[in-house]
Amino acid sequence: MIVKTEEELQGMKKVSEAVALTLQKMRAYTKIGMSTKDIDEYGRQLLETLGAKSAPFETYGFPGYSCISVNKEFAHGVPSDKVVLKNGDIINIDVSAELGGFWADNGCSFIVGEDIQGLQHLIDTSKEILLDAISEISGGIRICDIGKLIETKAKKAGYTVIKDLGGHGVGRSLHEEPEAIMNYYDHYDKTRRFRKDSVVAIETFISTKSEFIETAADNWGLTGSKGGFVAQHEHTILITAGKPIILTAANGI
């Protein structure tokens, strides 16, 4: 989406704040012993109170209102009363929604309880790389150069990146151009550039082992093809001629 009017800007700010506050509150609500279904139901209530509609539910018929993934399932996890959180689990919550004809997306990974699996460094690295990448984005910057930055920083920290998932344009629908804002340097994609006044969702997928995904038997949940763990963090941003505006800053990432 290219923001052309003040009305559009305010619409994007409103929906972005809704998903950001929902994510922030869902994270604070999450406790050992809860099921991912419990957390999803809480998120549904938050979105409804804000007048927003779940994007995956509305767009894809997803069997839940937010994607909630635990341990080696790191994305698109279906909320379930059978998945009960234990001390040390790594969880990812991804919240996207529509409000007033505008759409926004954000997500984060975090540890429930104590870091008994030794994954806090992975999570911190994912968050830091996301913020570093966002700080380098402005109108005219090549999309592949941001992918290179993410991949380089991940490797320096001892990790890999998932190469078949990435960020995307957002605004008037959940997924728009530019699609495939990847976490690596794509030698075949050297011409696309970020556009001033456009809205995009930038997200990291930082991995301990895998570079590609496998889809679970339910056709939703994603794991790494070589196992291991993945941390994801995501913001919706408005690109400017200078530093971008992080529209989902209220999530605290």
Side-chain angles (χ1 to χ4, degrees):
M1 175 184 176
I2 305 296
V3 173
K4 298 179 180 178
T5 67
E6 181 63 24
E7 181 183 6
E8 289 175 336
L9 177 59
Q10 293 307 315
M12 281 308 307
K13 285 184 174 180
K14 188 173 182 180
V15 67
S16 296
E17 183 176 35
V19 298
L21 290 174
T22 297
L23 177 62
Q24 187 273 328
K25 290 181 179 181
M26 289 175 74
R27 176 175 176 167
Y29 179 77
T30 299
K31 298 290 186 295
I32 297 166
M34 287 183 175
S35 73
T36 54
K37 185 73 171 178
D38 294 334
I39 300 164
D40 186 56
E41 177 60 21
Y42 178 64
R44 180 191 67 79
Q45 293 172 10
L46 291 170
L47 288 174
E48 287 186 357
T49 298
L50 293 165
K53 296 180 180 179
S54 160
F57 182 83
E58 295 289 328
T59 304
Y60 301 115
F62 181 74
Y65 297 92
S66 298
C67 298
I68 306 178
S69 312
V70 178
N71 288 328
K72 292 186 179 181
E73 180 180 75
F74 67 86
H76 300 176
V78 175
S80 171
D81 55 12
K82 296 179 181 179
V83 180
V84 178
L85 297 176
K86 305 182 300 298
N87 185 39
D89 283 346
I90 179 174
I91 182 172
N92 179 270
I93 302 177
D94 193 306
V95 181
S96 54
E98 178 272 335
L99 177 59
F102 298 94
W103 304 67
D105 195 357
N106 68 164
C108 73
S109 298
F110 59 97
I111 293 168
V112 182
E114 302 166 296
D115 182 25
I116 60 177
Q117 299 189 92
L119 297 173
Q120 190 61 54
H121 183 260
L122 172 69
I123 289 169
D124 292 343
T125 300
S126 173
K127 176 180 175 178
E128 289 166 9
I129 290 175
L130 174 66
L131 297 177
D132 286 348
I134 287 173
S135 72
E136 296 296 325
I137 296 174
S138 61
I141 294 294
R142 295 195 307 176
I143 290 174
C144 67
D145 287 337
I146 297 303
K148 183 177 182 179
L149 180 153
I150 293 170
E151 183 179 29
T152 300
K153 287 181 176 290
K155 286 183 176 179
K156 188 173 182 179
Y159 301 114
T160 61
V161 297
I162 297 296
K163 293 186 174 181
D164 43 2
L165 290 175
H168 52 91
V170 68
R172 284 297 190 176
S173 61
L174 181 58
H175 283 261
E176 300 179 345
E177 292 295 332
E179 288 281 13
I181 302 173
M182 307 309 288
N183 283 200
Y184 69 98
Y185 183 61
D186 186 349
H187 295 272
Y188 301 99
D189 183 20
K190 295 183 178 180
T191 59
R192 293 192 306 155
R193 296 177 183 270
F194 289 104
R195 291 184 61 184
K196 179 177 174 292
D197 298 325
S198 66
V199 182
V200 296
I202 302 295
E203 52 188 317
T204 51
F205 291 97
I206 310 303
S207 173
T208 59
K209 289 185 179 180
S210 297
E211 294 185 344
F212 300 97
I213 62 171
E214 285 189 355
T215 304
D218 64 8
N219 291 319
W220 292 108
L222 301 178
T223 59
S225 61
K226 293 182 179 179
F229 296 92
V230 177
Q232 180 258 18
H233 290 83
E234 177 181 21
H235 272 305
T236 292
I237 68 171
L238 173 65
I239 297 170
T240 73
K243 297 296 181 183
I245 297 169
I246 301 178
L247 296 173
T248 47
N251 63 26
I253 295 173

